[in-house]
Amino acid sequence: MPDSKTPTTELTSQYMAQVGNDLERNAKEQDRIGAEIDALQEQLRALQHDHTVLTNMRNALGVTDTATQPAPEADATPSVPRQKATPQSGAGKRVRAKKTATAQDTEAVKKPAAKKPEAAAKATAAKTTQPTLVELIRRHLTDQSEPRSAAEIATALGQAHPDRNIKTTVVRTTVEGLVAKSHAQRTKQGSSVYYTTTDAQAPAAAAPAADDQAEVS
């Protein structure tokens, strides 16, 4: 009897170990996909914001173009049918004169109003010149003398930019993209991962060389 129970116990242990590994891989995959979804959502919000700004600018430019076009009534007035009687011809001239004056007044009213949407579009465009998350991360890493983790970067950027909802998962995905493009470097200390910018590596590497030359001399 003891011999028959031993294989069953070993098989159960193997299943438990496999299930534990599968659960761990599943949790990591959920974290990875969740971070990608957060990054995509932030990119979508940025694109929607840019779309709104561009639409407002296009509408403003469209209003300006319409206001500067000549009134169609002024060009169409010469094509008046011939009048049989002199009094009717004079009445037609008065009607044309009234139409021309009305068109000129309408154009004079539209021109000052067309400047407002253009100014509003310029002001809106000026507000959109905010740095992207990639630029903020690269600037932060460049200013740091030591490697920083994704959580530390997210905390620092959140304090510096409280109006932007900066999450650690989004920062980690973004900085990993910089690592893939060789714009940042990843180092691992135990179970923690830290990041530095590649721009800061050159001065640090040149310093030991200068010290070696000084020792040789």
Side-chain angles (χ1 to χ4, degrees):
M1 293 297 292
D3 295 338
S4 61
K5 292 183 178 180
T6 302
T8 304
T9 304
E10 293 178 355
L11 184 61
T12 302
S13 300
Q14 292 178 0
Y15 279 133
M16 290 179 63
Q18 183 176 355
V19 169
N21 293 333
D22 292 341
L23 286 173
E24 185 178 358
R25 284 195 297 269
N26 185 283
K28 291 181 179 179
E29 189 69 12
Q30 290 184 26
D31 292 340
R32 183 184 66 81
I33 294 176
E36 292 179 357
I37 291 175
D38 291 338
L40 290 175
Q41 287 179 347
E42 182 176 354
Q43 294 178 7
L44 177 60
R45 286 193 295 269
L47 290 174
Q48 290 175 344
H49 180 70
D50 293 343
H51 182 271
T52 302
V53 174
L54 292 174
T55 302
N56 293 335
M57 294 179 65
R58 184 185 64 181
N59 293 338
L61 293 175
V63 172
T64 302
D65 294 340
T66 304
T68 56
Q69 291 179 356
E73 291 83 2
D75 296 335
T77 50
S79 60
V80 178
R82 291 183 296 173
Q83 304 294 330
K84 292 182 180 180
T86 304
Q88 294 179 354
S89 178
K93 291 181 180 180
R94 288 194 296 271
V95 171
R96 288 196 296 271
K98 289 181 179 180
K99 289 184 177 180
T100 302
T102 303
Q104 292 176 352
D105 295 339
T106 303
E107 185 177 359
V109 171
K110 287 183 178 179
K111 284 183 178 180
K115 295 180 181 180
K116 295 181 179 179
E118 185 177 358
K122 292 181 179 180
T124 305
K127 292 181 179 179
T128 58
T129 58
Q130 295 182 354
T132 61
L133 182 59
V134 175
E135 294 175 350
L136 292 177
I137 292 175
R138 293 189 65 179
R139 293 177 186 175
H140 180 72
L141 291 177
T142 302
D143 295 338
Q144 303 303 312
S145 59
E146 297 180 356
R148 289 291 183 268
S149 64
E152 292 173 341
I153 297 173
T155 301
L157 294 181
Q159 294 176 353
H161 304 276
D163 56 327
R164 303 181 65 166
N165 186 16
I166 300 177
K167 298 182 179 179
T168 304
T169 53
V170 179
V171 171
R172 183 180 295 106
T173 302
T174 305
V175 76
E176 284 293 340
L178 293 175
V179 172
K181 296 179 181 179
S182 299
H183 293 163
Q185 186 175 1
R186 183 198 307 112
T187 57
K188 192 171 184 181
Q189 299 179 7
S191 59
S192 302
V193 179
Y194 296 89
Y195 302 93
T196 56
T197 179
T198 54
D199 298 338
Q201 299 297 323
D211 294 339
D212 294 341
Q213 292 178 359
E215 292 178 359
V216 171
S217 61

